[in-house]
Amino acid sequence: MQHGGNKPKEQYVHSVFQSIAGKYDVMNDTLSFRRHKAWRKFTMKKMNVQPGQTALDVCCGTCDWTLALAEASETGHIEGLDFSSNMLEVGQRKVEKLGRKQQITLIQGNAMSLPYEDNSFDYVTIGFGLRNVPDIKQVLNEMKRVVKPGGKVVCLELSKPTWQPFKGLYYFYFRNMLPFIAKLLAKRYEQYKWLPDSLMMFPGRAELEQIFKETGLQNVTSFALTGGIAALHIGTKESQHV
Ligand SMILES: C[S@@+](CC[C@H](N)C(=O)[O-])C[C@H]1O[C@@H](n2cnc3c(N)ncnc32)[C@H](O)[C@@H]1O
């Protein structure tokens, strides 16, 4: 994976996910108080995937979203891409257990340079992944490149609440308590300290909406979830005019 100046962040993130893969699902449930399930459900409802539609799930990790896409599409082919072999291994086991092996292909690759032709998928999604990549704009450009004209780029990600005093409370939990809970439950502190650090550097909901627009996506909409702890962004690639 050749990305020059992006290497240190990329390598660090890679080592974090290689190390927490086995505990990722249970930690997600615990640290988000299972809110991530509701956010995923809301997202699928807004996407309204139709039978037979295709999707690429970038930074698919342990494949929760990949599987939801496959279920909604029923027969359409779904690809999941991630650079952590350990996360993909957990994902592959879930795919097989749920009988979706024929429908889902998992690939080890980098979100910064997607190994697909232009205009390949009806949907290209990224769940809790954009915060982790070295260059948000490059990844969104790549997602836009591989989605079909008229198709959608969808991002579900942690975000920054704007409403005080909720904001203060939330930041206290996130910065001071969460890494300690992770230390107790998963014997991981450093890896979960990455979470608040990565959020601080990430754009808020309105800023990310602007970045979606700058990428050239159309009809960009965003939704604040659970008081702005998370946000859903959806943009459409312009249809080709004949
Ligand atoms: C927080 S997990 C999210 C997993 C999954 N999408 C979900 O919704 O639970 C972030 C994932 O992004 C992957 N990732 C981070 N940077 C990446 C990159 N540059 N290329 C590919 N995968 C990356 C990590 O390996 C990890 O599996």
Side-chain angles (χ1 to χ4, degrees), residues 148-151 218 236-242:
K148 290 179 187 171
Q218 315 278 310
T236 306
K237 179 163 166 178
E238 196 175 12
S239 298
Q240 273 160 348
H241 301 293
V242 198

Side-chain angles (χ1 to χ4, degrees), residues 1-234:
M1 290 169 222
Q2 294 299 320
H3 292 290
N6 299 321
K7 272 276 184 199
K9 176 171 177 176
E10 209 168 74
Q11 279 170 352
Y12 179 69
V13 168
H14 183 259
S15 72
V16 165
F17 286 101
Q18 282 294 85
S19 127
I20 65 173
K23 303 252 181 184
Y24 177 80
D25 284 345
V26 66
M27 292 303 283
N28 243 1
D29 280 357
T30 313
L31 297 174
S32 79
F33 302 102
R34 293 178 71 89
R35 292 311 302 158
H36 75 106
K37 302 234 181 219
W39 300 336
R40 292 179 198 277
K41 214 168 154 187
F42 177 85
T43 299
M44 287 305 294
K45 210 169 149 194
K46 287 287 169 202
M47 287 174 70
N48 192 25
V49 176
Q50 297 301 305
Q53 286 191 310
T54 58
L56 164 66
D57 187 20
V58 179
C59 295
C60 65
T62 61
C63 295
D64 276 2
W65 202 352
T66 328
L67 282 158
L69 290 164
E71 198 182 323
S73 159
E74 297 173 17
T75 52
H77 189 72
I78 312 294
E79 297 260 330
L81 174 139
D82 200 286
F83 70 6
S84 160
S85 57
N86 290 351
M87 293 290 276
L88 286 173
E89 248 175 58
V90 176
Q92 184 66 38
R93 282 202 293 274
K94 283 158 73 174
V95 166
E96 284 170 23
K97 198 169 160 202
L98 293 168
R100 298 273 174 188
K101 207 172 136 189
Q102 305 305 323
Q103 197 188 356
I104 296 177
T105 306
L106 299 184
I107 285 185
Q108 189 172 10
N110 197 316
M112 298 280 286
S113 163
L114 296 173
Y116 301 100
E117 303 276 314
D118 298 358
N119 310 326
S120 297
F121 303 94
D122 293 307
Y123 289 92
V124 181
T125 61
I126 185 161
F128 309 104
L130 204 56
R131 198 174 15 96
N132 292 296
V133 300
D135 186 336
I136 296 172
K137 288 184 183 170
Q138 182 167 332
V139 170
L140 285 176
N141 270 322
E142 275 294 89
M143 293 174 72
K144 185 188 152 214
R145 180 181 66 76
V146 302
V147 80
K148 290 179 187 171
K152 288 188 166 62
V153 169
V154 187
C155 171
L156 176 60
E157 186 50 274
L158 294 180
S159 193
K160 300 173 180 174
T162 49
W163 181 66
Q164 286 288 17
F166 180 65
K167 181 179 170 181
L169 255 174
Y170 174 66
Y171 280 176
F172 180 79
Y173 164 73
F174 210 59
R175 282 204 189 112
N176 302 314
M177 294 171 67
L178 181 144
F180 283 102
I181 300 176
K183 186 179 177 183
L184 276 177
L185 295 181
K187 300 196 173 35
R188 297 278 190 277
Y189 176 80
E190 278 309 316
Q191 289 86 345
Y192 278 89
K193 219 191 140 299
W194 164 247
L195 244 164
D197 291 348
S198 65
L199 182 62
M200 291 309 129
M201 293 181 273
F202 193 66
R205 180 166 68 93
E207 261 177 287
L208 186 57
E209 197 177 301
Q210 189 53 35
I211 296 173
F212 260 60
K213 288 176 185 161
E214 284 163 14
T215 307
L217 290 161
Q218 315 278 310
N219 303 322
V220 177
T221 45
S222 69
F223 304 85
L225 307 168
T226 316
I229 288 179
L232 168 64
H233 288 76
I234 305 180

